[in-house]
Amino acid sequence: MISFRQKGDFSKLTRYLERVKEVAKISSLDKYGREGVAALASATPIDSGTTADSWKYEIQHTKGSAVISFHNTNVHNGVPIAIVLQYGHGTGTGGWVQGRDYINPAIQPIFDKILEEAWKEVTSL
């Protein structure tokens, strides 16, 4: 038989974790959403400008977490143009147009800022 004995309680730890949970709800996700859209728009290869102007963000709050996601609404004949620019595409004549990694370098600094702010908030308790 296995048994455990515990002395005291976890009230201090529980209070700390509750404070962390409340603080970690970064109130400035909207700010980072706008920054991310601006970064993506400026990094998007421009022909007509439609794809660069089509970046949007969405923030979803669920119990205990928040998610920020970026979307591009420029779709032509069912094809998301931002993805075609990122990864490349075939041509109608059998050729290939090489993609250009512009999304990751544009958005990574925004994610780094979010992480830095969250870390500061959590460690300042």
Side-chain angles (χ1 to χ4, degrees), residues 10 16 35 41 48 56 79-80 82 86 103 116:
F10 294 100
Y16 172 77
E35 286 183 24
S48 68
K56 309 286 182 231
V79 177
Q86 174 78 12
I103 295 174
E116 183 181 337

Side-chain angles (χ1 to χ4, degrees), residues 37 40 54-58 68-74 82:
V37 165
L40 289 165
S54 298
W55 287 103
K56 309 286 182 231
Y57 71 96
E58 182 179 322
I68 185 168
S69 55
F70 296 91
H71 308 273
N72 192 286
T73 58
N74 186 20

Side-chain angles (χ1 to χ4, degrees), residues 26-109:
I26 300 174
S27 60
S28 57
L29 279 180
D30 193 54
K31 172 183 86 169
Y32 290 120
R34 290 188 307 271
E35 286 183 24
V37 165
L40 289 165
S42 69
T44 302
I46 294 177
D47 183 18
S48 68
T50 304
T51 305
D53 293 338
S54 298
W55 287 103
K56 309 286 182 231
Y57 71 96
E58 182 179 322
I59 299 172
Q60 296 174 321
H61 294 280
T62 59
K63 187 176 181 178
S65 69
V67 174
I68 185 168
S69 55
F70 296 91
H71 308 273
N72 192 286
T73 58
N74 186 20
V75 178
H76 183 68
N77 293 331
V79 177
I81 302 304
I83 300 302
V84 168
L85 293 172
Q86 174 78 12
Y87 295 108
H89 61 90
T91 67
T93 59
W96 177 256
V97 176
Q98 183 65 37
R100 175 176 156 206
D101 185 13
Y102 69 98
I103 295 174
N104 296 311
I107 205 68
Q108 188 61 52

Side-chain angles (χ1 to χ4, degrees), residues 13-24 118-125:
L13 176 61
T14 302
R15 276 194 313 271
Y16 172 77
L17 292 175
E18 286 298 322
R19 286 191 319 224
V20 167
K21 184 174 82 173
E22 291 304 313
V23 170
W119 183 250
K120 284 180 184 176
E121 288 182 11
V122 169
T123 58
S124 69
L125 295 177

